[in-house]
Structures are given as structure tokens and as C-alpha cells.
Amino acid sequence: MTMGATYAESASAQIGGRLRGAVGRVTGGRLSLDQLVGGDHPITTSLEHARWAVDSLDNFTPRESKRSMLQLQRTPNGGFVLQPGYWEMHTQSYCLKAGTHGPGGGDGYLFAPTAGPAEDAVTTILRNSVNHPEIEQSKIQTLLWAIIARAKFEDLSPEHKATAARLLTPAQLTRLNRSALDLVPGDEMGALMNRVPGPLRQIVEAENQLRRMVTDPGASFAEMERVAVLAGAVGMGPGSRAVPSGRWSLHPDGYYVRYIPQGYSYTVTQLWVPQGSPAVGKEYDPATHIAVPGNTSRQRLVQSGRAHQGH
């Protein structure tokens, strides 16, 4: 275990101890720590799950000519049937960690699989979005923020409800409602935030604000974005790893993948499938890929099979 990981676990335990008492005192027991910041978070993928980095290929570029991934055969999931070669796609990507900073500072990203109680809903939204190009990227991002903020989908604004009904099944919507949290009133949240350490405070506060905003027909996407995606410089978060931009990960299916974000909503994704690779003929399903930053202060970016506008 690395010193960084040990520090992160120690910091997490200390934060948990302080928060457990704070939440109970402030909310009168109506919310538990685990509900607010704990293990039942909708998406649990984190840096510790990014176990496939290939440090030895830093600065490596495949010899094959780079080709567009859109030339590959598509799958019903909106993915791609892999063939040997060096492939690239400019993709629509999405923030899955509100209250953190967007990509930047030369920080690299690694592959980790989508995991957590809301894995099915998040993956379904991204897969189905490929067959609904008329749905704007901002509306899909709003649904994903509603999920990670644990908003009640039955309380979403009419516009967001309509989008959700096109991308999710009634059973999935019911499950999301069951796992939702109530809004913490402003005065209670303010008292709670005074007791929450800085990095975690940003996330808890952002999620609570998003729970309110996604139910408000008057809240604009730009306002939600300012809450969810922080601007400006940021230092390395607890448990971070030094990951250079463009580091490859070796997917368990046998292909190499790397992510070069151009912003939280736009990622250049590159795949390398060597001749004779066991990955040939298998599916690359972007909806199951989260690009996890080496710097834990930055956004997790879930990928999609939708091309970024202009590409």
C-alpha cells in the first residue's frame, strides 16, 4: 500500500468520525453520514479502482496510422466492434463528481469501470443517448448530476422528467426515487458545512445545491455547471497519484485505452488494438468507462459513444 493511499484512508476515517457526529447533531438524526457521504454513493468508482495503468508505455505512440473510431462497426449498446489498429474518437464525456475541478494542469486520466448502486442507470442513459442524438448533451449531463446528487426523479422539472423517461425504464426511475435523499434546508446545511473539512465540504454542498436545482424549472444549465465544475487552479488531493497526461491503460479485454480531456464535456479517446490481440472482435463500450484523474481533486469523466460536435 502506498503512503498516499494510507494517508487517504486515514483522512477519510478522520473525516468520517467528525461528520458522523455533525450530521446527527445538525439534522436531528434524519440523515446518517453513510447516506450523505458514505458507501451508498450512487457511483463509487475512484482512483483505487484504476488498476490497469501501463507506465512503461509513457510517450509511446502506435506505429499504425490513426483512424477514426467511427469507421468501426457499431453495437446495439452504442459501442464499437474492435479491429486491429490505432483508433481515435472525439467524444462527449460527462462529469460524475460534482464540486470538484475540471481537467487541467497536465494531470492524466486512467481507466476504471463504472461501479456503484446507480451503475445500471448511468450506463443505460449513456447507451441510449447514442440512439437519441436529438437530446442535447447538457440535458444528459443534468440527468447524471441528478443521479449523483441523489435527487428525487419524481420531483424533477418537467423538462428533465421528459428526458429521463426517454432514456430510462420505469423500473429504473422507481429505484432512483427509492435511493433519493431529501433536501437539507439551508440553515441546517450551513450549520453542517461548518463542521465538514474543506475538500469534502465542496462535494456535499454541491450535491445538495444540485438536488434543489434539478427540481427548479428556472435553474439554468450554466448555473448548475458553476456549482458542479469548479474553476481555477487546484492542488493534489488526498491519495493522488502522479499520472502524466496520455498514460495508457490496458483494458481487461486486451486493448489499450487513453483519455485526453479537452474539458469535462469533451474527451479525445484513443484505442490501440495490436495485431493478434484477444480484443479483436470484442466490444468497446464507452458507457462502461470512467476516466479517473490521478489528481483526486479533479472530475471523474464517464465516456459515451456520442461524437463531440464538430467531430
Side-chain angles (χ1 to χ4, degrees):
M1 181 175 291
T2 67
M3 184 177 297
T6 303
Y7 170 76
E9 290 175 1
S10 174
S12 177
Q14 293 175 19
I15 288 170
R18 281 181 252 167
L19 270 179
R20 185 168 287 106
V23 172
R25 287 192 298 273
V26 174
T27 69
R30 287 185 288 107
L31 283 177
S32 70
L33 170 64
D34 286 341
Q35 284 178 303
L36 197 59
V37 296
D40 59 352
H41 197 276
I43 295 298
T44 56
T45 302
S46 64
L47 183 57
E48 67 179 306
H49 302 116
R51 301 190 297 268
W52 295 274
V54 187
D55 305 17
S56 61
L57 290 183
D58 286 351
N59 303 315
F60 168 76
T61 300
R63 288 179 296 178
E64 297 93 332
S65 298
K66 188 176 4 180
R67 291 183 283 172
S68 170
M69 219 178 290
L70 296 175
Q71 296 176 24
L72 293 169
Q73 178 185 338
R74 300 301 295 261
T75 70
N77 285 333
F80 303 85
V81 179
L82 293 173
Q83 297 298 327
Y86 178 24
W87 306 95
E88 181 178 272
M89 183 174 175
H90 293 243
T91 67
Q92 293 183 7
S93 51
Y94 298 87
C95 160
L96 279 184
K97 192 176 180 185
T100 53
H101 286 70
D107 292 325
Y109 283 71
L110 303 172
F111 161 75
T114 308
E119 172 191 349
D120 177 61
V122 167
T123 303
T124 298
I125 286 172
L126 295 168
R127 287 173 172 169
N128 287 342
S129 72
V130 177
N131 296 321
H132 288 281
E134 76 283 359
I135 299 179
E136 297 173 9
Q137 183 177 7
S138 60
K139 292 181 179 178
I140 297 167
Q141 177 64 80
T142 300
L143 285 188
L144 295 175
W145 279 333
I147 288 175
I148 62 172
R150 288 162 286 184
K152 288 189 176 180
F153 271 59
E154 62 189 16
D155 294 337
L156 294 185
S157 67
E159 179 184 34
H160 301 325
K161 270 186 183 178
T163 303
R166 295 167 72 185
L167 297 175
L168 292 167
T169 67
Q172 288 172 322
L173 291 170
T174 298
R175 286 195 293 271
L176 289 170
N177 277 321
R178 287 176 182 161
S179 62
L181 293 180
D182 290 324
L183 283 172
V184 179
D187 55 344
E188 292 185 3
M189 179 55 75
L192 175 60
M193 287 302 100
N194 290 334
R195 297 178 171 88
V196 179
L200 193 56
R201 181 186 307 135
Q202 294 171 172
I203 296 171
V204 174
E205 196 165 31
E207 290 180 355
N208 194 60
Q209 288 186 59
L210 287 171
R211 276 195 292 279
R212 174 184 56 79
M213 297 174 87
V214 295
T215 63
D216 178 4
S220 70
F221 179 76
E223 291 170 326
M224 294 184 212
E225 192 175 49
R226 281 194 291 271
V227 168
V229 185
L230 305 183
V234 64
M236 300 289 276
S240 293
R241 288 158 51 185
V243 177
S245 178
R247 175 164 286 175
W248 293 94
S249 295
L250 176 58
H251 190 276
D253 282 346
Y255 60 89
Y256 295 84
V257 58
R258 64 179 173 184
Y259 317 95
I260 308 170
Q262 309 299 298
Y264 82 90
S265 61
Y266 171 17
T267 299
V268 176
T269 302
Q270 295 181 342
L271 305 179
W272 178 44
V273 184
Q275 288 287 343
S277 166
V280 175
K282 292 185 179 179
E283 179 185 24
Y284 162 56
D285 182 359
T288 63
H289 281 234
I290 293 183
V292 178
N295 183 353
T296 61
S297 293
R298 297 197 184 276
Q299 305 266 327
R300 297 174 303 194
L301 304 177
V302 69
Q303 303 300 300
S304 80
R306 290 173 35 136
H308 187 266
Q309 289 185 351
H311 295 88

